[in-house]
Amino acid sequence: DAGVTQSPTHLIKTRGQHVTLRCSPISGHKSVSWYQQVLGQGPQFIFQYYEKEERGRGNFPDRFSARQFPNYSSELNVNALLLGDSALYLCASSPGLHSGNTIYFGEGSWLTVV
Amino acid sequence: AQRVTQPEKLLSVFKGAPVELKCNYSYSGSPELFWYVQYSRQRLQLLLRHISRESIKGFTADLNKGETSFHLKKPFAQEEDSAMYYCALSGGTSYGKLTFGQGTILTVHP
C-alpha cells in the first residue's frame, strides 16, 4: 500500500497567487483531513471531508477551501497567498469517522510564499 | 475549546535512562488522546492511543482525567527513540479532527 500520497512535495509561490495541493488517501479510506504545520509548531486542523461532504473546518480564513472527489481524493486550495501561508501542508486519511479508526498522514507539501 | 500543551520543547536523556514526555489537555467532554511520532525524514505516524491501553516500542501512556494529563513514558530509552513526539486530542463528534501540541524533540544520547 502506497499510503497517503500528496503532490507536489515542494513549491514556491508569490504573494497574491493561488495554490492547489492534492491528496490521495489510502485505498478504502473515505475521510480526508488537511492540516497546516508552521515551522516549530504542531499541525493545525484546516478541514475534514467525509463522503465528499465537509465535516469540519478549523479557524482559517475563507481564502482556504477544499473539496473531495468521488474517488475520495482531495484538493486544498489557497487564494491570495500571504507570506504567513508558508508551511508544510499535511493530508491525513482514515477509513471513517469512528473512534478506533487510525488516522494516517502523508509526507506533506512544503509551500513557500515569497 | 480544546487545547493540548506539551511543556517541554526539548528533552535529552542518556541511553538506558527513563524518559517521560509530558502532555496536558483541556477539553470539556471525554476526549481521545494520542501520541504521534515523527522520526527523521519520515512521516508523522501514530505511536499509541489511550483507548488501546497497549505498549508500543516500550512506550506507555495513561490517561489521567483528574489531572487532564496523558504523559508518555518509557523505562529505558534507546537511541532509536530520538524523534519528534506530538500529543494530540480528538473530541466528541469531531473524531478525525486532531488538536496537536507543539511537540517535544527527544534526543537519546549514547
Side-chain angles (χ1 to χ4, degrees), chain A residues 2-5 33 35 37 40-45 48 57 90 96-103 105-107, chain B residues 9 32 34 36 38 41-46 49 51 84 86 90 93-103:
Chain A
V4 179
T5 57
S33 299
Y35 292 81
Q37 187 172 19
Q41 297 183 19
Q44 188 173 358
F45 173 78
Q48 182 185 43
R57 183 185 182 115
L90 295 169
L97 299 179
H98 300 293
S99 168
N101 286 166
T102 296
I103 298 169
F105 283 83
E107 293 186 324
Chain B
K9 235 178 154 44
E32 287 200 56
F34 307 84
Y36 277 81
Q38 187 167 29
R41 299 184 183 281
Q42 293 186 27
R43 65 185 67 195
L44 200 58
Q45 57 186 284
L46 179 66
R49 69 181 87 202
I51 60 173
M84 171 72 92
Y86 291 99
S90 179
T93 58
S94 59
Y95 183 78
K97 174 190 171 184
L98 294 171
T99 298
F100 284 88
Q102 289 199 326

Side-chain angles (χ1 to χ4, degrees), chain B residues 23-69:
Chain B
C23 171
N24 289 91
Y25 68 90
S26 171
Y27 184 71
S28 56
S30 293
E32 287 200 56
L33 274 296
F34 307 84
W35 277 99
Y36 277 81
V37 61
Q38 187 167 29
Y39 300 103
S40 179
R41 299 184 183 281
Q42 293 186 27
R43 65 185 67 195
L44 200 58
Q45 57 186 284
L46 179 66
L47 180 62
L48 53 79
R49 69 181 87 202
H50 88 272
I51 60 173
S52 299
R53 302 186 64 81
E54 57 190 346
S55 172
I56 304 293
K57 298 185 179 182
F59 285 97
T60 59
D62 289 319
L63 179 61
N64 186 323
K65 292 187 178 180
E67 296 183 357
T68 60
S69 68

Side-chain angles (χ1 to χ4, degrees), chain A residues 52-69:
Chain A
K52 302 179 288 292
E53 289 190 6
E54 182 181 306
R55 297 300 295 261
R57 183 185 182 115
N59 188 24
F60 280 82
D62 291 344
R63 300 185 295 108
F64 288 76
S65 63
R67 55 180 175 169
Q68 187 177 33
F69 298 99

Side-chain angles (χ1 to χ4, degrees), chain A residues 5 14 18 22 27 50-51 65 70 76 82 104 112:
Chain A
T5 57
T14 304
H18 162 269
R22 296 178 175 83
S27 178
Y50 177 71
E51 289 282 17
S65 63
L76 175 69
L82 303 174
Y104 296 88
T112 301

Side-chain angles (χ1 to χ4, degrees), chain A residues 76-96:
Chain A
L76 175 69
N77 294 282
V78 188
N79 292 323
L81 285 166
L82 303 174
L83 295 179
D85 295 331
S86 296
L88 176 66
Y89 288 85
L90 295 169
C91 176
S93 78
S94 65

